[in-house]
Every structure is written in structure tokens, then in C-alpha cells.
Amino acid sequence: MGRPTLAIRVPATTANLGPGFDCAALALTLYMEVEVEKADAWEVVYEGEEYSGLAGGEENLIVRTMQETARQCGAEAAPCRLTVRSDIPLGKGLGSSATAVAAGIEAADHLYVLGLSVEEKARIGSGIEGHADNVVAAIMGGAVFSRYRDGELETVHIPHPHVGAVILVPDRPLATEESRGLLPDTLRHADAVCGSAANGVMAAAIAVNDWELAGRMMERDVFHEPYRTRLFPDFDQIRCFAREAGAYGTAVSGAGPSVFVLTGAGSENVIAERLAGKFLSYRPIAVRASSTGAAAVTV
Ligand code: HSE
């Protein structure tokens, strides 16, 4: 094998942060790394057991994203061999598919010399994902609040969130489509107004670095958690315990099944240990918010 032409690193992300359904997301210090080299045919090799069942050819999501990105820019997508290493739990609500999409866009941009701006990358990624939360944070890093409709994307990017988190990862994966299938078609107007206010206050609190208030608002979702948490029998106990342990707030991570616990920067390891001793069916991962989004790195 020759030297890789390029290596891309992309963070894991947690979406929604409670009331920011399909809008809010935070990049985390857990990463996927993709080495890319030009080849005669498309090939994707995953290192590690967790990802070994994923498609290794043209059906692969990173490959499809590279091809689609090139197509949208009117460029030719020359085939590549990709080697992927990832610390991001697969199918556990930490944006693993959005990370793959962000990696594909970044790889295509470098390899096919497309000259895409970060906003263009985020718009292409949102189109592929269908909503603009995880993928925008995976591309930009930091915290993001986005509105995406009919190909139009508006994002506010908060580049350096100084905060920690514990992700509680259960054994079983949960498909996003299955979890979205639990949501109702309509919501009472008064409830939607309250949920929208909670997301607005949370976004403003994050922008001014008031994580305590952000954590309180994170626990005021009405858009999805009331319908999804029946899949998490111990969600309320985790929320109470985490608060007593000093966390700012607890939410379902993306579509689940992981649980996201927001902590002060520097408290994440202690709180992770306490949660580990109490909720034995989850694997806790202590992280910080990641300021870096998808980017080429030296290997
Ligand atoms: N906003 C999405 C959801 C995130 O909660 O379904 C997962 O893709």
C-alpha cells in the first residue's frame, strides 16, 4: 500500500440537545479518521470489529457522498481506497452516519479540488442527511443551531464551546428511522410554543457561555423525548442522578439510544465514574466539546 494521499478527521456529534430537534448539535472529542488514496476501483476497509459489517464498495456512505459531492460540483469522482478508523460508537446516536457524510464531502473537496466553502459543505451534507443537525456540527465543529428547508440552510456557529459531557452508551443500537417513527404527526400549538422558547433560550445561553441555564433548558423538550424515552426505562433516574452528581442537564443523544449528560469542562471524568457505578447497562464515555470539525490532518 502506498502512502495515503490524504487523511480526514471528523468528530462525533450529539444532536438536538433536548428541544433543538433537527436544529441543535454539538461536536465531541471522539473521532473518525479516514485515509484516502487514489485507486483503480472504489474500496473501503474498516479497521476494528464494530464497523466491519459496513459496505466496502460503491454502496458505502462515504463513497456515495464523495460521488454526490463531485456530481453537484460538476467534477469527476476518481475512485479511491479508503481506510477508516473510528472511536465513534456505531448506530448509537452519536452521528456516525453524519460523520461519514462529512468525511466524504471533505475528502471530495480536497481530492477533486472543488474549493467548497464551509457553508457549501454544510448545505450539501444537510441535503444528503435530510436534516441539518449532526452533519453541520461534524463539518464545522463547536455548537451549531440550524434551520434547513428545501435546500436552504441558515446556521449560527458557536466555535469554541467550553463544556464537558458524558455519553452513556447502551449495548443495543437503534436505527434513526425507527426512533423517528415514534414521533407524532402533529403537536398542540401551546406545546410547540413552549418547546420553541426552550430551544431559543438554550441557544442564547450557549452563545453567552451560560451552560447551567443551557442545561436546564435542555431538559424542557416537548418535540421528541416524551415519545422516545419509553425506550429508555431508566432515563428519569439517570437525569436525577446526574443532576445530583453536578451535571448541568441530561438529554437523549440524537435519536438515541445513548444518553447525553452535559457537565462542566473538567467534571466529565468524575461524573462519568459516578454514572458508571450506578447504571451498569451503559458504557460511559467522558468527552469535551470539540472545536474542530471535519479537516484534513497529517498522517
Ligand atoms: N434530529 C435527529 C433525530 C438526529 O432526532 O431524529 C438523528 O439523526
Side-chain angles (χ1 to χ4, degrees):
M1 194 172 97
R3 270 181 71 75
T5 316
L6 174 72
I8 306 285
R9 196 175 76 142
V10 189
T13 52
T14 184
N16 302 329
L17 304 175
F21 181 71
D22 281 0
C23 164
L26 183 68
L28 305 170
T29 52
L30 273 180
Y31 298 95
M32 168 186 275
E33 214 169 282
V34 184
E35 288 180 9
V36 188
E37 57 189 310
K38 291 208 169 130
D40 294 333
W42 289 101
E43 187 188 0
V44 186
V45 178
Y46 283 98
E47 292 184 356
E49 209 180 302
E50 189 170 10
Y51 281 71
S52 62
L54 294 187
E58 289 206 40
E59 332 73 69
N60 181 276
L61 182 56
I62 307 175
V63 172
R64 283 192 281 123
T65 302
M66 289 177 74
Q67 293 173 337
E68 174 58 18
T69 305
R71 190 195 65 74
Q72 288 193 29
C73 299
E76 192 75 23
C80 297
R81 181 179 200 274
L82 313 177
T83 308
V84 185
R85 275 183 292 278
S86 185
D87 293 329
I88 306 172
L90 180 65
K92 299 283 176 68
L94 291 167
S96 50
S97 73
T99 301
V101 168
I105 295 170
E106 195 63 28
D109 184 47
H110 281 269
L111 225 61
Y112 310 137
V113 201
L114 304 177
L116 291 168
S117 67
V118 76
E119 290 79 17
E120 286 166 330
K121 292 175 194 172
R123 193 190 46 73
I124 294 172
S126 302
I128 293 171
E129 276 276 284
H131 42 88
D133 41 24
N134 295 100
V135 73
V136 179
I139 288 168
M140 296 187 176
V144 292
F145 287 82
S146 305
R147 179 185 184 277
Y148 180 71
R149 187 106 186 212
D150 301 331
E152 185 191 278
L153 176 68
E154 297 293 347
T155 294
V156 173
H157 178 214
I158 298 158
H160 302 296
H162 186 59
V163 76
V166 180
I167 312 294
L168 291 172
V169 186
D171 269 347
R172 63 179 173 89
L174 174 64
T176 297
E177 306 76 62
E178 187 186 335
S179 179
R180 288 181 89 85
L182 300 171
L183 306 181
D185 290 336
T186 57
L187 206 60
R188 244 167 40 98
H189 184 269
D191 290 340
V193 168
C194 253
S196 162
N199 186 40
V201 175
M202 180 173 72
I206 291 176
V208 298
N209 228 3
D210 185 345
W211 291 97
E212 236 175 279
L213 175 57
R216 281 205 304 280
M217 290 301 103
M218 216 172 83
E219 299 194 344
R220 295 286 180 273
D221 169 62
V222 295
F223 296 116
H224 68 116
E225 287 184 354
Y227 310 97
R228 284 173 162 167
T229 45
R230 66 183 161 88
L231 296 179
F232 310 79
D234 38 14
F235 185 79
D236 291 340
Q237 287 99 294
I238 294 173
R239 184 171 262 180
C240 281
F241 187 87
R243 214 180 287 144
E244 277 163 24
Y248 293 144
T250 298
V252 174
S253 185
S258 293
V259 176
F260 174 76
V261 179
L262 184 72
T263 73
S267 309
E268 64 277 2
N269 285 313
V270 176
I271 295 179
E273 263 175 47
R274 294 205 44 198
L275 288 161
K278 176 85 178 164
F279 299 99
L280 304 181
S281 55
Y282 291 87
R283 178 167 68 96
I285 308 179
V287 289
R288 294 273 183 104
S290 170
S291 291
T292 44
V297 289
T298 9
V299 281

